[in-house]
Amino acid sequence: MIRSLRWKLVLATALIIAAVVAAAGFFSRFAVVREFDRFLISQDINATRKAMDTLRAAGPANFEETLRQVHAETRLRMVVLGDDGKVIARQPPELAAYEVTVLPDRSLRLTRQAGGGLEELRVQGMRGRIPGVGTVWFLPGRQPAAGQFRVSIDRWLIGGLAFAALLAVLVIFTIFRRVFAPVEALTRGARALASGRLDTRVDVRGGDEIGELATAFNAMADALERNERARRNMVSDVAHELRTPLTNIRVQVEAVQDGIIAPDAKFFSSIEEDAATLARLVDDLQQLSLAEAGQLRLEKEDVSVEELVARALDGLQRRIDERGLAITTDVQPTVVRADPRRIVQVLRNLVVNALTYGRTSLTIASMTTSEHVEMRVTDDGPGIAPEHAERIFDRFYRADAARSRTTGGAGLGLAIARQLVELHGGT
């Protein structure tokens, strides 16, 4: 059983070509033979007419000699019957072996003994009367070259059609080879990707469907490579974020065990702080995972934007006072349908970032469009460098590479905020 699609198509095309060639050959031979027979018949008719004119002109005196000459020139087969129905002359002489009888339907019956049996031929030939002689019957026959012509036609048709079929198969095979070459390259690339070689790419040639497929394949390979790189970075980042509080806890526990420090209230407060950091990190990871999978449950209700902003600022007053920032709100009295807890989480994340990096002021504003409510949290801090702007929503990505606790968390806040907003149908 053939498994290759290319060879299946080549075989199917070859069968189609064979069927077309066979049909073309059959109808071509039929048309040629039919036209050739018509030509022979017209030639026989013309030759018969000329023979009759010659025999009539010769008259009874030189009839037999003229009959031989006409046969020698035209190769017509002729039987001459008298008025009494008896054979007077015949050409060629081989016809003497036949007994000739005129039937009532004005056809001739020729019989002879051959091969131990009786051979009978019944013919309806052309005839003409020669005054003073009798009736000349012209028997149907074929010119000697007719059989050779048919054999030649058959040979040339078979040879030509075979050559055309072979040429067509070669052309189709060449075309299929060019068509399937990029498909085979894509297959090799897919196998390489499956084996873990994520840097595999295929050449894009042309703008047809195969070229579009190659472009899509390369885009998929790029996405897989980015995702794999992001996965590795995420594992590294998670390990990094977990290592710091775990190391702190371990060092402090070992210090207590060695008697270096006493297990006092300060010790337990430090342990609690590191444990809370671990708990927040695990919660953030779980929340982000659920949000990206679309499985985070939203409890939507009608809520005013003013209430969302107030809840986002609630509990941050002490930090605002420490930073000495001037808070300005410009919120329109708009009601939206959303999960208040999740939207407050988004706003609070933005406000905390603004409090961390803002210098003197922080503004919270909202604007209603035809379909959405746009909310802005603006500060007068240093801003984000262009090389970081496109990546600030990536997991564990922080523009501040130092990862200081005083300037930010684990780098999950904005990633979670983005997912929460997209779950609400926003951007």
Side-chain angles (χ1 to χ4, degrees):
M1 183 177 179
I2 300 176
R3 298 182 61 185
S4 172
L5 179 59
R6 176 197 297 178
W7 286 109
K8 286 181 180 179
L9 290 177
V10 169
L11 179 60
T13 305
L15 293 176
I16 294 174
I17 292 175
V20 172
V21 166
F26 173 78
F27 288 107
S28 298
R29 185 183 185 282
F30 176 78
V32 170
V33 171
R34 184 183 64 178
E35 294 302 319
F36 181 65
D37 288 342
R38 288 181 178 178
F39 171 75
L40 291 180
I41 291 172
S42 66
Q43 291 292 93
D44 288 344
I45 293 175
N46 292 333
T48 299
R49 289 174 179 173
K50 291 180 180 179
M52 285 296 299
D53 293 341
T54 302
L55 292 174
R56 285 172 178 163
N62 299 319
F63 181 77
E64 291 189 5
E65 179 64 26
T66 304
L67 191 67
R68 283 193 295 272
Q69 291 177 359
V70 169
H71 173 70
E73 294 175 359
T74 63
R75 309 304 298 177
L76 293 173
R77 299 191 303 168
M78 297 168 286
V79 176
V80 183
L81 302 178
D83 294 335
D84 56 0
K86 295 182 178 179
V87 178
I88 299 175
R90 64 191 78 193
Q91 285 293 336
E94 290 81 4
L95 293 178
Y98 289 92
E99 180 181 347
V100 180
T101 304
V102 179
L103 300 177
D105 60 357
R106 305 305 297 170
S107 63
L108 291 182
R109 181 176 64 193
L110 284 72
T111 57
R112 70 171 180 176
Q113 294 293 330
L118 183 64
E119 178 184 349
E120 179 178 319
L121 300 177
R122 189 170 180 177
V123 296
Q124 185 78 36
M126 295 182 62
R127 63 186 182 271
R129 181 169 178 76
I130 306 296
V133 177
T135 302
V136 180
W137 290 75
F138 295 91
L139 305 182
R142 288 290 182 265
Q143 298 182 6
Q148 297 179 0
F149 177 80
R150 286 191 175 86
V151 172
S152 178
I153 284 294
D154 291 340
R155 288 176 179 174
W156 279 104
L157 275 176
I158 292 173
L161 293 175
F163 176 77
L166 178 61
L167 182 61
V169 170
L170 291 176
V171 171
I172 291 297
F173 180 78
T174 303
I175 293 175
F176 283 171
R177 185 177 181 182
R178 292 179 62 88
V179 170
F180 280 95
V183 175
E184 292 174 350
L186 285 170
T187 302
R188 290 192 297 270
R191 290 173 178 169
L193 279 180
S195 65
R197 293 167 52 191
L198 300 182
D199 59 341
T200 301
R201 301 293 184 274
V202 296
D203 293 334
V204 179
R205 298 180 181 178
D208 55 6
E209 289 81 356
I210 300 297
E212 293 179 359
L213 180 60
T215 302
F217 176 87
N218 289 337
M220 178 189 68
D222 290 338
L224 288 175
E225 190 174 18
R226 287 195 304 269
N227 291 338
E228 178 62 17
R229 191 183 304 114
R231 184 188 66 82
R232 293 176 180 175
N233 291 339
M234 178 180 176
V235 173
S236 176
D237 291 336
V238 169
H240 177 87
E241 294 296 335
L242 292 176
R243 185 181 296 114
T244 301
L246 287 175
T247 300
N248 290 340
I249 293 174
R250 179 181 178 183
V251 168
Q252 293 181 78
V253 170
E254 289 179 351
V256 170
Q257 290 175 342
D258 294 339
I260 299 176
I261 63 175
D264 52 10
K266 182 178 181 182
F267 165 77
F268 287 111
S269 176
S270 178
I271 294 294
E272 182 183 6
E273 181 181 356
D274 289 328
T277 301
L278 289 174
R280 284 195 302 270
L281 178 60
V282 172
D283 290 342
D284 287 347
L285 286 173
Q286 183 181 20
Q287 188 174 182
L288 180 60
S289 176
L290 291 175
E292 289 180 342
Q295 297 179 352
L296 190 64
R297 183 179 177 182
L298 297 179
E299 298 178 357
K300 293 185 178 182
E301 60 182 65
D302 292 335
V303 58
S304 65
V305 176
E306 296 98 321
E307 181 182 349
L308 293 175
V309 173
R311 290 174 60 177
L313 293 175
D314 187 30
L316 295 178
Q317 190 59 47
R318 185 171 63 86
R319 189 167 180 178
I320 294 173
D321 295 339
E322 291 176 354
R323 292 286 295 154
L325 298 180
I327 305 297
T328 302
T329 58
D330 183 12
V331 180
Q332 297 181 359
T334 307
V335 175
V336 296
R337 186 162 186 80
D339 185 331
R341 185 165 62 92
R342 302 299 184 185
I343 298 300
V344 167
Q345 181 181 353
V346 173
L347 289 174
R348 182 166 295 178
N349 180 275
L350 299 178
V351 171
V352 168
N353 286 342
L355 289 175
T356 301
Y357 294 98
R359 293 172 180 171
T360 61
S361 64
L362 188 155
T363 301
I364 303 175
S366 70
M367 180 178 64
T368 303
T369 64
S370 59
E371 297 181 355
H372 300 89
V373 173
E374 181 180 294
M375 305 185 70
R376 293 174 176 261
V377 178
T378 310
D379 64 76
D380 59 352
I384 301 173
E387 62 270 18
H388 300 301
E390 295 182 358
R391 299 193 57 190
I392 59 173
F393 293 104
D394 294 347
R395 291 172 294 185
F396 294 104
Y397 186 82
R398 283 163 38 92
D400 181 7
R403 296 180 178 272
S404 170
R405 289 191 185 182
T406 62
T407 58
L412 294 175
L414 288 179
I416 295 174
R418 178 179 183 177
Q419 291 297 327
L420 292 177
V421 172
E422 290 180 351
L423 284 175
H424 281 81
T427 58

